[in-house]
Amino acid sequence: MKRRNFIKNISLAGSGAITLGGMPLNVLAGNEALKEIAMNASNDHVLVFVQLHGGNDGLNTLIPIEQYDKYKDIRSNIYIPKSGGRSYIPLDGTLPSAQQAGLHPDMQGFKDLYDDGRAAVVHNVGYENMNLSHFRGRDIVFMGGDYNDTFHSGWMGRFLNHEYPDYPDSYPSAEMPDPPGIELSGDLSLSFHRDVGIPIGFNINDPIGYYNLVNTVGLDQPPMSFPDSHAGDELKYLMDFEDKAIDYSERLRDVYNAGSNSSSVVYPETYSQNAPDRFISNPLSGQLRLIARLLDGGIKTRIFLCRIGLFDTHADQVLSDDSTMGGHAALLYHLSSAIKAFHNDLAAMGIEERVLTMTFTEFGRRAYSNDSYGTDHGKSTPVFLFGSGLQGGIYGENPDLDDLDNGNTKYAIDYRQVYTSVVMDWFGASEEAMQDTYFDAWTSNRLPLIEGSSSINDLNGIGEVKLTCTPNPVKNVATFQIPLLRVSNVKLAIMDTNGKYVASVFQGKKQYGMASFNYNTSSLLKGTYVAVAYVNDYPYQCKFTKH
């Protein structure tokens, strides 16, 4: 696989042009037998979700090299230099010049994994009307909805609830002896909540301490019935949660004792460059080391949630006398080096192919730095993924610093396009599971992040953005398609060969990826027509014949 082909061809993700084993995906989707096999294939895959708490500054994480002068100009007091002992690290010299990016100098661990094909970047991730409140932003990231949705459940909880029905009554079981979800962040976020009942995840950071705690506290004589009231419902919720804690505690202790970390891997503990004291210790290494040990011990938990904080860098993001060091530099080192150690640990255990790690943050930072050597709340942000099961590389384009949204980089890829790829292609979720997770509207436009989810090599040489019509000639329904490199306003109309308007097919917003439009041509007379798609007011057209 050639990473250079991602930028050129990735906009075709989700289209019928992509093939799987030589078979077009639109053919596969139409074959119910093959579809049933693909959708119901079970696996033992694991997701490790790493939350960058506070809103990571994407522009100092991944520097757009071709726009370096503009980048330096708009953040003159915090920019990363392009030369010297701590200059940015060129990520991938095989990419076109417009896509060249430089990593922060403390992200060598990411570079090593990327060069091994075990890392990927998704540029400019966000959503419409992106919220700049920490609390609301985190809720949206965890619930998996639109900016104006209010779900009382999280996308992880809804997916796991589908995979493990009748929770908690039927669990633990022989097939699933462990909590489906585990959070190591200090509290239980919205992510593992379900629509009804107790969350389908637990918060632990010390299995032995957890065992000792839940076996020494609790009610000696729990109630046999609960009042028919809100208070009764709350009491039952707490008692159900306590019962599950007791059920799982011994198993978690045993799994922890059965596992071990590889002696050949050292998890980094501290940042060796200059930074404020609160940034020196690596808060992620211990969490990932524990997950690796639990996995080695045989735990069957499907989703782990970790957290690394202090990314809310309004002030003193960098040192005043050295913009390559400081709090943000330390955080990027902790993130990059800990994940590298984690995946090397998994590889030494022989289980890395089962584990996908993904970062996420509630929002990005503004393109412009402030006078306090920091950055304020912004919008789009890069997402990083890790693992040997990835189709590693670059997804999307560098942010355009000459086309900002009130000082913010514009989002081009909806965050649910990433989530949907993980749930559908990594976990092998069924169509019904995608509906229960609320991601069914995104399945045709997900990213081909996972190895085997599509054959990118089959798209080599298809870099031109153009409007197509199939079949052509058309007798009944015509399908028009055009690849979009960002979220775009699209108008699609039918004209005759003299330029006279005939019909409107679509007007509205379309997401990054392959935009597809079906049109019933029964009202058209036989002859030749021109379909015109205006993408952000730029026209693309193709001729087609009606038989």
Side-chain angles (χ1 to χ4, degrees), residues 230-517:
H230 177 71
D233 292 341
E234 292 295 316
L235 181 59
K236 184 177 186 304
Y237 178 97
L238 293 173
M239 292 307 304
D240 285 345
F241 203 92
E242 182 184 27
D243 286 344
K244 288 299 107 181
I246 294 172
D247 287 343
Y248 287 124
S249 62
E250 185 173 349
R251 163 70 178 178
L252 289 170
R253 178 200 63 184
D254 293 344
V255 166
Y256 176 81
N257 287 334
S260 63
N261 297 99
S262 171
S263 60
S264 63
V265 175
V266 176
Y267 284 82
E269 298 294 340
T270 58
Y271 180 60
S272 62
Q273 305 293 336
N274 292 331
D277 289 346
R278 68 184 184 278
F279 291 96
I280 296 298
S281 295
N282 193 322
L284 188 59
S285 280
Q287 298 176 66
L288 296 178
R289 184 193 297 115
L290 173 58
I291 293 172
R293 178 167 176 167
L294 292 174
L295 290 170
D296 185 64
I299 199 168
K300 294 186 177 181
T301 296
R302 305 301 301 283
I303 301 177
F304 294 89
L305 197 157
C306 303
R307 179 178 298 163
I308 174 172
L310 300 177
F311 279 92
D312 195 19
T313 52
H314 289 281
D316 300 322
Q317 175 174 319
V318 304
L319 300 183
S320 60
D321 61 346
D322 190 339
S323 61
T324 72
M325 299 183 190
H328 189 243
L331 291 173
L332 295 180
Y333 171 79
H334 295 327
L335 175 70
S336 174
S337 61
I339 290 179
K340 178 184 176 182
F342 175 60
H343 277 272
N344 286 346
D345 201 3
L346 298 174
M349 297 172 182
I351 58 174
E352 188 191 12
E353 72 279 357
R354 291 181 48 217
V355 183
L356 176 71
T357 301
M358 175 172 66
T359 70
F360 238 96
T361 188
E362 60 261 41
F363 45 65
R365 317 297 294 185
R366 285 177 60 81
Y368 290 84
S369 61
N370 59 37
D371 292 336
S372 300
Y373 296 95
T375 49
D376 299 320
H377 296 185
K379 294 189 176 180
S380 73
T381 183
V383 167
F384 300 98
L385 298 100
F386 306 85
S388 59
L390 279 173
Q391 294 190 138
I394 304 292
Y395 294 78
E397 302 178 303
N398 282 320
D400 186 348
L401 300 184
D402 288 318
D403 184 23
L404 299 174
D405 176 12
N406 192 30
N408 294 304
T409 56
K410 293 182 177 180
Y411 95 96
I413 297 176
D414 192 283
Y415 77 107
R416 286 160 293 187
Q417 292 177 263
V418 181
Y419 283 2
T420 300
S421 175
V422 171
V423 176
M424 190 170 183
D425 297 323
W426 180 247
F427 284 126
S430 66
E431 185 175 336
E432 183 181 2
M434 299 309 297
Q435 293 171 355
D436 288 351
T437 311
Y438 305 171
F439 291 159
D440 51 304
W442 299 92
T443 58
S444 64
N445 214 22
R446 66 194 190 278
L447 304 182
L449 296 166
I450 308 305
E451 192 71 48
S453 60
S454 64
S455 178
I456 295 300
N457 287 332
D458 290 340
L459 300 178
N460 288 350
I462 306 177
E464 182 181 1
V465 176
K466 62 181 181 179
L467 180 67
T468 62
C469 174
T470 55
N472 190 7
V474 59
K475 185 176 182 181
N476 297 309
V477 176
T479 298
F480 300 100
Q481 291 187 316
I482 186 167
L484 304 178
L485 298 177
R486 58 187 58 83
V487 179
S488 302
N489 293 312
V490 179
K491 293 186 291 185
L492 179 62
I494 306 299
M495 308 286 185
D496 64 20
T497 53
N498 294 317
K500 182 179 178 181
Y501 172 86
V502 175
S504 174
V505 177
F506 177 85
Q507 181 170 347
K509 184 170 290 186
K510 282 288 188 177
Q511 295 293 332
Y512 167 95
M514 180 61 76
S516 185
F517 315 86

